PDB file of all heavy atoms in Angstrom:
ATOM      1  N   LEU A  89       4.970  -0.446   8.596  1.00  0.00           N
ATOM      2  CA  LEU A  89       4.387   0.797   9.052  1.00  0.00           C
ATOM      3  C   LEU A  89       4.049   0.620  10.637  1.00  0.00           C
ATOM      4  O   LEU A  89       3.291  -0.267  10.994  1.00  0.00           O
ATOM      5  CB  LEU A  89       3.055   1.157   8.397  1.00  0.00           C
ATOM      6  CG  LEU A  89       2.218   2.283   8.876  1.00  0.00           C
ATOM      7  CD1 LEU A  89       2.922   3.618   8.481  1.00  0.00           C
ATOM      8  CD2 LEU A  89       0.833   2.336   8.258  1.00  0.00           C
ATOM      9  N   LEU A  90       4.559   1.531  11.485  1.00  0.00           N
ATOM     10  CA  LEU A  90       4.219   1.438  12.809  1.00  0.00           C
ATOM     11  C   LEU A  90       3.084   2.508  13.045  1.00  0.00           C
ATOM     12  O   LEU A  90       3.252   3.730  12.672  1.00  0.00           O
ATOM     13  CB  LEU A  90       5.467   1.934  13.638  1.00  0.00           C
ATOM     14  CG  LEU A  90       5.148   2.051  15.245  1.00  0.00           C
ATOM     15  CD1 LEU A  90       4.734   0.708  15.899  1.00  0.00           C
ATOM     16  CD2 LEU A  90       6.528   2.541  15.936  1.00  0.00           C
ATOM     17  N   ILE A  91       1.989   1.987  13.599  1.00  0.00           N
ATOM     18  CA  ILE A  91       0.865   2.823  13.893  1.00  0.00           C
ATOM     19  C   ILE A  91       0.903   2.880  15.451  1.00  0.00           C
ATOM     20  O   ILE A  91       0.787   1.949  16.204  1.00  0.00           O
ATOM     21  CB  ILE A  91      -0.510   2.133  13.486  1.00  0.00           C
ATOM     22  CG1 ILE A  91      -0.289   1.675  11.965  1.00  0.00           C
ATOM     23  CG2 ILE A  91      -1.617   3.020  13.623  1.00  0.00           C
ATOM     24  CD1 ILE A  91      -1.137   0.544  11.641  1.00  0.00           C
ATOM     25  N   THR A  92       1.044   4.176  15.936  1.00  0.00           N
ATOM     26  CA  THR A  92       1.173   4.400  17.409  1.00  0.00           C
ATOM     27  C   THR A  92       0.590   5.686  17.864  1.00  0.00           C
ATOM     28  O   THR A  92       0.552   6.657  17.195  1.00  0.00           O
ATOM     29  CB  THR A  92       2.684   4.159  17.820  1.00  0.00           C
ATOM     30  OG1 THR A  92       2.773   4.287  19.242  1.00  0.00           O
ATOM     31  CG2 THR A  92       3.471   5.267  17.246  1.00  0.00           C
ATOM     32  N   GLY A  93       0.306   5.650  19.178  1.00  0.00           N
ATOM     33  CA  GLY A  93      -0.119   6.945  19.812  1.00  0.00           C
ATOM     34  C   GLY A  93       1.002   7.396  20.759  1.00  0.00           C
ATOM     35  O   GLY A  93       0.851   8.345  21.477  1.00  0.00           O
ATOM     36  N   MET A  94       2.119   6.579  20.852  1.00  0.00           N
ATOM     37  CA  MET A  94       3.184   6.890  21.710  1.00  0.00           C
ATOM     38  C   MET A  94       4.126   7.883  20.932  1.00  0.00           C
ATOM     39  O   MET A  94       4.748   7.507  20.006  1.00  0.00           O
ATOM     40  CB  MET A  94       3.990   5.633  21.951  1.00  0.00           C
ATOM     41  CG  MET A  94       5.165   5.796  22.935  1.00  0.00           C
ATOM     42  SD  MET A  94       4.861   6.561  24.547  1.00  0.00           S
ATOM     43  CE  MET A  94       4.007   5.251  25.398  1.00  0.00           C
ATOM     44  N   CYS A  95       3.897   9.169  21.284  1.00  0.00           N
ATOM     45  CA  CYS A  95       4.572  10.249  20.498  1.00  0.00           C
ATOM     46  C   CYS A  95       5.650  10.835  21.311  1.00  0.00           C
ATOM     47  O   CYS A  95       5.458  11.923  22.018  1.00  0.00           O
ATOM     48  CB  CYS A  95       3.522  11.192  20.095  1.00  0.00           C
ATOM     49  SG  CYS A  95       4.064  12.411  18.934  1.00  0.00           S
ATOM     50  N   ASN A  96       6.821  10.302  21.280  1.00  0.00           N
ATOM     51  CA  ASN A  96       8.080  10.839  21.980  1.00  0.00           C
ATOM     52  C   ASN A  96       9.348  10.512  21.258  1.00  0.00           C
ATOM     53  O   ASN A  96       9.258   9.721  20.322  1.00  0.00           O
ATOM     54  CB  ASN A  96       8.063  10.525  23.408  1.00  0.00           C
ATOM     55  CG  ASN A  96       8.205   9.060  23.626  1.00  0.00           C
ATOM     56  OD1 ASN A  96       8.966   8.352  22.927  1.00  0.00           O
ATOM     57  ND2 ASN A  96       7.469   8.533  24.694  1.00  0.00           N
ATOM     58  N   LEU A  97      10.415  11.048  21.755  1.00  0.00           N
ATOM     59  CA  LEU A  97      11.676  10.827  21.007  1.00  0.00           C
ATOM     60  C   LEU A  97      12.111   9.317  20.949  1.00  0.00           C
ATOM     61  O   LEU A  97      12.656   8.800  20.038  1.00  0.00           O
ATOM     62  CB  LEU A  97      12.748  11.599  21.802  1.00  0.00           C
ATOM     63  CG  LEU A  97      14.085  11.927  21.000  1.00  0.00           C
ATOM     64  CD1 LEU A  97      13.757  12.680  19.768  1.00  0.00           C
ATOM     65  CD2 LEU A  97      14.973  12.708  21.940  1.00  0.00           C
ATOM     66  N   GLN A  98      11.670   8.488  21.972  1.00  0.00           N
ATOM     67  CA  GLN A  98      11.994   7.109  21.944  1.00  0.00           C
ATOM     68  C   GLN A  98      11.215   6.246  20.946  1.00  0.00           C
ATOM     69  O   GLN A  98      11.734   5.249  20.504  1.00  0.00           O
ATOM     70  CB  GLN A  98      11.888   6.568  23.363  1.00  0.00           C
ATOM     71  CG  GLN A  98      12.810   6.985  24.417  1.00  0.00           C
ATOM     72  CD  GLN A  98      14.257   7.087  23.899  1.00  0.00           C
ATOM     73  OE1 GLN A  98      14.682   6.076  23.349  1.00  0.00           O
ATOM     74  NE2 GLN A  98      15.002   8.144  24.113  1.00  0.00           N
ATOM     75  N   THR A  99      10.182   6.890  20.450  1.00  0.00           N
ATOM     76  CA  THR A  99       9.487   6.170  19.393  1.00  0.00           C
ATOM     77  C   THR A  99      10.386   6.214  18.086  1.00  0.00           C
ATOM     78  O   THR A  99      10.437   5.330  17.331  1.00  0.00           O
ATOM     79  CB  THR A  99       8.053   6.861  19.084  1.00  0.00           C
ATOM     80  OG1 THR A  99       7.349   6.906  20.274  1.00  0.00           O
ATOM     81  CG2 THR A  99       7.257   6.096  18.125  1.00  0.00           C
ATOM     82  N   ILE A 100      10.944   7.371  17.957  1.00  0.00           N
ATOM     83  CA  ILE A 100      11.877   7.612  16.740  1.00  0.00           C
ATOM     84  C   ILE A 100      13.152   6.757  16.936  1.00  0.00           C
ATOM     85  O   ILE A 100      13.516   5.990  16.077  1.00  0.00           O
ATOM     86  CB  ILE A 100      12.303   9.047  16.665  1.00  0.00           C
ATOM     87  CG1 ILE A 100      10.935  10.005  16.646  1.00  0.00           C
ATOM     88  CG2 ILE A 100      13.069   9.319  15.281  1.00  0.00           C
ATOM     89  CD1 ILE A 100      10.093   9.873  15.450  1.00  0.00           C
ATOM     90  N   ARG A 101      13.574   6.721  18.163  1.00  0.00           N
ATOM     91  CA  ARG A 101      14.793   5.899  18.388  1.00  0.00           C
ATOM     92  C   ARG A 101      14.567   4.460  18.172  1.00  0.00           C
ATOM     93  O   ARG A 101      15.395   3.748  17.555  1.00  0.00           O
ATOM     94  CB  ARG A 101      15.411   6.085  19.834  1.00  0.00           C
ATOM     95  CG  ARG A 101      16.210   7.300  20.137  1.00  0.00           C
ATOM     96  CD  ARG A 101      17.537   7.317  19.475  1.00  0.00           C
ATOM     97  NE  ARG A 101      18.397   8.350  19.873  1.00  0.00           N
ATOM     98  CZ  ARG A 101      19.273   8.859  19.075  1.00  0.00           C
ATOM     99  NH1 ARG A 101      19.522   8.407  17.906  1.00  0.00           N
ATOM    100  NH2 ARG A 101      20.035   9.876  19.504  1.00  0.00           N
ATOM    101  N   THR A 102      13.420   3.988  18.684  1.00  0.00           N
ATOM    102  CA  THR A 102      13.008   2.584  18.582  1.00  0.00           C
ATOM    103  C   THR A 102      12.969   2.154  17.046  1.00  0.00           C
ATOM    104  O   THR A 102      13.377   1.174  16.642  1.00  0.00           O
ATOM    105  CB  THR A 102      11.704   2.314  19.259  1.00  0.00           C
ATOM    106  OG1 THR A 102      11.863   2.546  20.694  1.00  0.00           O
ATOM    107  CG2 THR A 102      11.235   0.870  19.082  1.00  0.00           C
ATOM    108  N   SER A 103      12.291   3.138  16.322  1.00  0.00           N
ATOM    109  CA  SER A 103      12.168   2.816  14.863  1.00  0.00           C
ATOM    110  C   SER A 103      13.437   2.804  14.159  1.00  0.00           C
ATOM    111  O   SER A 103      13.729   1.900  13.293  1.00  0.00           O
ATOM    112  CB  SER A 103      11.277   3.981  14.251  1.00  0.00           C
ATOM    113  OG  SER A 103      10.038   3.962  14.892  1.00  0.00           O
ATOM    114  N   GLU A 104      14.332   3.654  14.593  1.00  0.00           N
ATOM    115  CA  GLU A 104      15.781   3.644  14.064  1.00  0.00           C
ATOM    116  C   GLU A 104      16.358   2.325  14.182  1.00  0.00           C
ATOM    117  O   GLU A 104      16.944   1.757  13.315  1.00  0.00           O
ATOM    118  CB  GLU A 104      16.531   4.782  14.661  1.00  0.00           C
ATOM    119  CG  GLU A 104      18.025   4.857  14.204  1.00  0.00           C
ATOM    120  CD  GLU A 104      18.872   5.785  15.077  1.00  0.00           C
ATOM    121  OE1 GLU A 104      18.345   6.447  15.912  1.00  0.00           O
ATOM    122  OE2 GLU A 104      20.055   5.828  14.743  1.00  0.00           O
ATOM    123  N   MET A 105      16.319   1.823  15.501  1.00  0.00           N
ATOM    124  CA  MET A 105      16.973   0.607  15.725  1.00  0.00           C
ATOM    125  C   MET A 105      16.300  -0.596  15.081  1.00  0.00           C
ATOM    126  O   MET A 105      16.996  -1.637  14.760  1.00  0.00           O
ATOM    127  CB  MET A 105      16.956   0.335  17.368  1.00  0.00           C
ATOM    128  CG  MET A 105      17.631   1.408  18.125  1.00  0.00           C
ATOM    129  SD  MET A 105      19.378   1.817  17.554  1.00  0.00           S
ATOM    130  CE  MET A 105      19.468   3.440  18.061  1.00  0.00           C
ATOM    131  N   ALA A 106      15.056  -0.560  15.007  1.00  0.00           N
ATOM    132  CA  ALA A 106      14.233  -1.730  14.458  1.00  0.00           C
ATOM    133  C   ALA A 106      14.090  -1.645  12.905  1.00  0.00           C
ATOM    134  O   ALA A 106      13.332  -2.386  12.319  1.00  0.00           O
ATOM    135  CB  ALA A 106      12.876  -1.683  15.138  1.00  0.00           C
ATOM    136  N   ASP A 107      14.785  -0.724  12.279  1.00  0.00           N
ATOM    137  CA  ASP A 107      14.757  -0.545  10.839  1.00  0.00           C
ATOM    138  C   ASP A 107      13.292  -0.344  10.342  1.00  0.00           C
ATOM    139  O   ASP A 107      12.831  -0.890   9.338  1.00  0.00           O
ATOM    140  CB  ASP A 107      15.302  -1.696  10.086  1.00  0.00           C
ATOM    141  CG  ASP A 107      16.832  -1.786  10.227  1.00  0.00           C
ATOM    142  OD1 ASP A 107      17.509  -0.710  10.418  1.00  0.00           O
ATOM    143  OD2 ASP A 107      17.459  -2.910  10.229  1.00  0.00           O
ATOM    144  N   ILE A 108      12.575   0.508  11.116  1.00  0.00           N
ATOM    145  CA  ILE A 108      11.175   0.913  10.722  1.00  0.00           C
ATOM    146  C   ILE A 108      11.282   2.314  10.107  1.00  0.00           C
ATOM    147  O   ILE A 108      11.752   3.220  10.709  1.00  0.00           O
ATOM    148  CB  ILE A 108      10.321   0.867  11.892  1.00  0.00           C
ATOM    149  CG1 ILE A 108      10.072  -0.553  12.441  1.00  0.00           C
ATOM    150  CG2 ILE A 108       8.846   1.479  11.592  1.00  0.00           C
ATOM    151  CD1 ILE A 108       9.281  -0.639  13.636  1.00  0.00           C
ATOM    152  N   ARG A 109      10.725   2.406   8.868  1.00  0.00           N
ATOM    153  CA  ARG A 109      10.977   3.807   8.209  1.00  0.00           C
ATOM    154  C   ARG A 109       9.695   4.557   8.147  1.00  0.00           C
ATOM    155  O   ARG A 109       9.721   5.709   7.846  1.00  0.00           O
ATOM    156  CB  ARG A 109      11.521   3.491   6.857  1.00  0.00           C
ATOM    157  CG  ARG A 109      13.053   3.073   6.794  1.00  0.00           C
ATOM    158  CD  ARG A 109      13.435   2.632   5.427  1.00  0.00           C
ATOM    159  NE  ARG A 109      13.119   3.647   4.486  1.00  0.00           N
ATOM    160  CZ  ARG A 109      12.776   3.270   3.093  1.00  0.00           C
ATOM    161  NH1 ARG A 109      12.679   2.058   2.737  1.00  0.00           N
ATOM    162  NH2 ARG A 109      12.472   4.297   2.236  1.00  0.00           N
ATOM    163  N   PHE A 110       8.603   3.947   8.445  1.00  0.00           N
ATOM    164  CA  PHE A 110       7.389   4.651   8.355  1.00  0.00           C
ATOM    165  C   PHE A 110       6.522   4.594   9.699  1.00  0.00           C
ATOM    166  O   PHE A 110       6.271   3.527  10.310  1.00  0.00           O
ATOM    167  CB  PHE A 110       6.441   4.007   7.247  1.00  0.00           C
ATOM    168  CG  PHE A 110       7.130   4.069   5.893  1.00  0.00           C
ATOM    169  CD1 PHE A 110       7.899   2.892   5.526  1.00  0.00           C
ATOM    170  CD2 PHE A 110       7.102   5.082   5.073  1.00  0.00           C
ATOM    171  CE1 PHE A 110       8.609   2.885   4.290  1.00  0.00           C
ATOM    172  CE2 PHE A 110       7.759   5.086   3.863  1.00  0.00           C
ATOM    173  CZ  PHE A 110       8.508   3.967   3.443  1.00  0.00           C
TER     174      PHE A 110
END
Side-chain angles (χ1 to χ4, degrees):
Chain A
L89 173 72
L90 173 63
I91 308 151
T92 185
M94 181 59 73
C95 191
N96 61 41
L97 201 56
Q98 291 313 313
T99 310
I100 309 293
R101 279 289 187 213
T102 297
S103 301
E104 178 193 352
M105 300 309 154
D107 290 332
I108 293 171
R109 287 171 51 213
F110 303 92

